[in-house]
């Protein structure tokens, strides 16, 4: 047996008693601390107290117990180094061959709504990470385990050969450093937020794997889905999949986009998304009416799309949804009758998001990677009300036009720039996305709307650099426009609106989305 002595000190005690019992049966001596030692003794597993090894009591309410040369020399000594072996013998320090440690529950502590700063600080583990790092550094000789999922592997290898393999020790060491890095990242973020350092000199983030994906945007790209460890409520990463195939990379991106748009609305709303752009958005007195409008907005593009609703899906709505090929439906819930209808479609993914709603405001920053770096910014959660608008034309918008303008504005915020959205009768009737010039997006939206452009409201995500978009709108019969304003040539667009009797309002807010 190469593994003769193990140190076990865990906060999460899942499986630890059985592990310790098996190690004891294999003749491994067990050193333990605090609550772990008490539990193992209670369960009849022989344990050597940490103070017996250090010759020093646990002090400062347990803050100091493993931070001692007798522990860390036993972890860091290189077994093949004669000088190291000699020093251990002279100081009567015994090597520690196996370390089983997990850390104080800092993440769980700060997740509590009533957590105090003092509670958070007290749950920052010091001795645990130090032991883990010491053992992981010396993984040539020491096996270190931070995850209960690895208990079976190490027991099997020790039973088979008296020790773990070097390959296993290297894999577990890498896992330890990932674990301690993630642990420190959460602490760093919490403390930085407490002092208002939101974009500090170094930016460290951590995510936890939710699932492996078959591939990324394209089959030749590797991919996985990670969730942030805190603040997941109301996001796709917290959704419960009730039915259907495994989610893909593109599914997750599109579902996230659909959810962001539908959360703009408080009234019953449905959003259909293709390639992260809305192809149809509708609001109504019921979720069924909202879906009918979203579908009518673009019955061609919705095919193979993602649908998000902000109300539970009932049977009547489910019967309509079933008629179209969809990839995903995201909703706060599904009635049993609706589930029965939709589950008839074998591959249709159904996601339940019980905390969905406008309260699900992102608590983190938006991170976009570029070659060699990353861009960090706030999520665009800016909203406007009617009172924020400035009428800049001779004609005031009517009450109905104002309603459609605000509706279109909520949607255009989520369309790839350059973006134009036309709205009429509480639904999108035309969407122009991602064009290199604004009038190009307008022409696409107007062409899609056809006759429905007459009397419609037009929203632009950024100002008009020239009046050509207004002229195209007037020709199509659009009667009201909402845009940020701010161009040096604003007056030309205002004059064009006045000539054609179009009401135009400025928001003083831009919504570029690249």
């Amino acid at each position: 047996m190469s593994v003769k002595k193990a140190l076990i000190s865990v906060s999460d005690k899942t499986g630890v008693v059985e592990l310790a019992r098996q190690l004891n049966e294999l003749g491994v001596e067990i050193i333990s601390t605090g609550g772990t030692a008490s539990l193992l003794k209670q369960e009849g597993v022989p344990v050597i107290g940490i103070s017996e090894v250090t010759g020093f009591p646990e002090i400062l309410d347990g803050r100091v117990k493993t931070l001692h040369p007798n522990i860390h020399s036993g972890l860091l000594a290189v077994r093949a180094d004669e000088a190291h072996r000699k020093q251990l013998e002279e100081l009567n320090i015994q090597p520690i061959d196996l370390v089983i440690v997990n850390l104080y529950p800092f993440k769980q502590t700060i997740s509590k709504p009533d957590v105090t700063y003092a509670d958070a600080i007290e749950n920052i583990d010091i001795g645990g990470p130090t032991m883990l790092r010491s053992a992981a550094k010396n993984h040539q000789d020491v096996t270190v385990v931070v995850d209960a999922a690895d208990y079976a592997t190490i027991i099997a290898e020790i039973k088979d050969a008296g020790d773990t393999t070097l390959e296993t020790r290297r894999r577990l060491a890498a896992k330890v450093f990932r674990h301690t890095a993630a642990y420190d990242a959460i602490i760093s973020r919490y403390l930085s937020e407490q002092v208002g350092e939101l974009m500090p000199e170094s930016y460290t983030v951590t995510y936890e794997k939710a699932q492996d994906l078959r591939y990324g945007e394209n089959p030749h790209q590797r991919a996985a889905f990670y969730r942030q460890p805190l603040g997941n409520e109301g996001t796709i990463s917290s959704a419960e999949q009730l039915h259907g195939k495994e989610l893909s990379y593109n599914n997750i991106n599109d579902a996230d986009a659909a959810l962001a748009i539908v959360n703009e609305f408080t009234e019953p709303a449905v959003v259909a998304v293709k390639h992260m752009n809305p192809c149809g958005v509708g609001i109504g007195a019921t979720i069924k009416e909202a879906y009918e409008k979203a579908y009518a907005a673009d019955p061609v593009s919705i095919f193979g799309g993602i649908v998000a609703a902000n109300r539970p899906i009932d049977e009547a709505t489910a019967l309509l949804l079933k008629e179209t090929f969809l990839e995903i439906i995201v909703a706060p819930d599904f009635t049993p009758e609706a589930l029965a209808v939709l589950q008839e479609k074998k591959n249709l993914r159904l996601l339940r998001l019980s905390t969905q709603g406008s309260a699900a405001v992102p608590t983190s920053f938006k991170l976009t990677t570029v070659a060699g770096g990353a861009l960090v910014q706030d999520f665009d959660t800016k909203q406007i009300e009617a009172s924020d608008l400035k009428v800049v034309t001779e004609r005031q918008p009517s009450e109905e036009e104002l309603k459609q303008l605000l509706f279109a504005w909520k949607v255009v915020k989520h369309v790839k720039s350059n973006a134009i959205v036309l709205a009429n009768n509480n639904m999108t009737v035309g969407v122009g996305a991602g064009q290199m010039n604004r009038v190009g997006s307008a022409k696409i939206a107007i062409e899609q709307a056809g006759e429905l452009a007459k009397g419609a409201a037009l929203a632009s995500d950024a100002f008009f650099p020239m009046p050509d978009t207004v002229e195209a709108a007037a020709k199509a019969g659009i009667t009201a426009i909402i845009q940020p304003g701010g161009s040096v040539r604003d007056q030309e667009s205002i004059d064009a609106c006045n000539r054609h009797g179009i009401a135009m309002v400025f928001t003083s807010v831009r919504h570029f989305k690249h």
Side-chain angles (χ1 to χ4, degrees):
M1 284 285 293
S2 297
V3 177
K4 298 176 181 178
K5 196 176 292 290
L7 191 157
I8 305 179
S9 179
V10 292
S11 174
D12 177 3
K13 296 177 173 56
T14 303
V16 73
V17 173
E18 181 59 25
L19 170 72
R21 188 171 282 125
Q22 291 185 70
L23 288 172
N24 177 250
E25 290 171 357
L26 291 167
V28 179
E29 285 189 319
I30 297 173
I31 306 166
S32 193
T33 68
T36 305
S38 298
L39 174 64
L40 296 181
K41 288 176 182 177
Q42 179 183 317
E43 294 295 328
V45 180
V47 169
I48 301 170
I50 198 76
S51 295
E52 296 178 54
V53 178
T54 64
F56 203 87
E58 295 185 20
I59 62 172
L60 305 179
D61 297 321
R63 281 190 168 197
V64 177
K65 45 183 180 274
T66 61
L67 297 170
H68 193 280
N70 286 4
I71 298 298
H72 289 277
S73 298
L75 295 174
L76 286 165
V78 176
R79 309 302 196 258
D81 188 312
E82 185 177 348
H84 284 200
R85 291 201 309 270
K86 185 176 180 180
Q87 288 180 57
L88 292 185
E89 290 170 4
E90 289 174 350
L91 296 169
N92 195 28
I93 296 173
Q94 295 184 352
I96 298 171
D97 310 300
L98 173 63
V99 172
I100 313 287
V101 169
N102 55 54
L103 308 177
Y104 292 171
F106 183 81
K107 181 182 75 171
Q108 293 86 341
T109 299
I110 64 172
S111 296
K112 298 174 183 176
D114 57 348
V115 65
T116 65
Y117 186 77
D119 285 340
I121 296 302
E122 202 57 37
N123 277 276
I124 297 176
D125 201 329
I126 301 300
T130 307
M131 285 190 293
L132 287 174
R133 289 171 62 84
S134 294
K137 175 177 179 175
N138 199 26
H139 64 268
Q140 179 73 26
D141 298 314
V142 181
T143 304
V144 56
V145 182
V146 75
D147 185 351
D150 294 310
Y151 291 173
T153 297
I154 64 164
I155 286 295
E157 291 189 5
I158 293 171
K159 282 183 177 179
D160 182 57
D163 200 354
T164 58
T165 65
L166 179 59
E167 179 184 3
T168 294
R169 293 196 296 276
R170 284 178 173 172
R171 178 178 61 81
L172 293 176
K175 191 171 189 176
V176 162
F177 282 110
R178 292 196 302 270
H179 183 75
T180 57
Y183 190 78
D184 284 343
I186 295 171
I187 296 170
S188 169
R189 172 180 163 182
Y190 175 80
L191 294 178
S192 296
E193 288 175 349
Q194 295 299 306
V195 296
E197 289 278 2
L198 302 182
M199 291 189 180
E201 72 289 342
S202 63
Y203 188 72
T204 305
V205 294
T206 185
Y207 295 90
E208 300 167 349
K209 184 182 278 189
Q211 66 188 89
D212 286 307
L213 303 173
R214 285 183 299 159
Y215 52 81
E217 283 184 292
N218 301 289
H220 60 274
Q221 294 173 271
R222 290 174 296 178
F225 181 34
Y226 290 81
R227 65 169 64 93
Q228 61 185 33
L230 296 166
N232 288 317
E233 298 78 10
T235 69
I236 287 300
S237 67
S238 68
E240 176 187 4
Q241 185 167 352
L242 303 178
H243 180 69
K245 290 195 304 184
E246 183 181 358
L247 292 169
S248 72
Y249 181 99
N250 292 329
N251 289 158
I252 293 166
N253 258 330
D254 286 339
D256 179 64
L259 184 62
I261 303 170
V262 84
N263 281 344
E264 293 280 348
F265 299 95
T266 55
E267 57 271 81
V270 171
V271 174
V273 161
K274 286 288 287 291
H275 303 292
M276 297 184 68
N277 277 309
C279 57
V281 181
I283 58 175
T286 65
I287 204 65
K288 177 175 177 286
E289 181 186 350
Y291 173 69
E292 288 171 334
K293 290 180 180 293
Y295 177 84
D298 191 345
V300 174
S301 297
I302 195 174
F303 183 87
I306 280 75
V307 165
N310 65 356
R311 296 289 192 280
I313 301 297
D314 55 26
E315 184 179 21
T317 309
L319 288 168
L320 292 178
L321 288 160
K322 184 185 174 186
E323 293 176 3
T324 301
F325 169 61
L326 299 171
E327 292 278 1
I328 302 174
I329 301 172
V330 185
D333 209 345
F334 299 80
T335 66
E337 297 80 9
L339 266 181
V341 169
L342 295 171
Q343 285 176 336
E344 292 177 15
K345 306 196 81 167
K346 179 182 176 182
N347 294 326
L348 175 61
R349 302 159 179 90
L350 303 178
L351 302 183
R352 178 165 60 195
L353 205 56
S354 57
T355 56
Q356 180 181 327
S358 57
V361 176
T363 56
S364 61
F365 290 107
K366 181 176 177 61
L367 176 67
T368 304
T369 59
V370 297
L375 297 168
V376 178
Q377 66 172 342
D378 290 319
F379 279 90
D380 186 0
T381 58
K382 181 72 174 178
Q383 296 182 329
I384 63 166
E385 306 293 338
S387 58
D388 299 316
L389 302 177
K390 178 184 178 182
V391 180
V392 295
T393 51
E394 296 167 358
R395 187 170 80 78
Q396 297 270 334
S398 67
E399 185 175 339
E400 179 59 24
E401 285 174 329
L402 187 59
K403 181 179 179 181
Q404 300 307 313
L405 287 170
L406 290 170
F407 172 86
W409 185 252
K410 289 179 179 180
V411 178
V412 81
K413 169 182 174 181
H414 298 275
V415 179
K416 297 287 186 180
S417 300
N418 287 317
I420 297 290
V421 169
L422 305 186
N424 205 342
N425 190 30
N426 298 327
M427 58 187 277
T428 55
V429 295
V431 177
Q435 297 306 297
M436 285 63 72
N437 60 75
R438 192 154 302 279
V439 72
S441 290
K443 289 176 180 177
I444 291 171
I446 290 167
E447 181 181 355
Q448 182 188 354
E451 289 298 310
L452 294 176
K454 293 179 179 177
L458 180 151
S460 173
D461 65 333
F463 63 62
F464 299 150
M466 53 192 69
D468 50 2
T469 300
V470 173
E471 295 295 343
K475 187 176 180 180
I478 291 163
T479 60
I481 293 174
I482 185 170
Q483 59 131 320
S487 169
V488 294
R489 300 177 67 176
D490 273 346
Q491 192 59 49
E492 294 179 33
S493 294
I494 294 170
D495 291 342
C497 284
N498 286 333
R499 285 196 304 273
H500 296 291
I502 296 174
M504 185 160 67
V505 298
F506 283 179
T507 64
S508 299
V509 174
R510 188 185 74 185
H511 285 306
F512 272 164
K513 185 177 177 65
H514 288 90

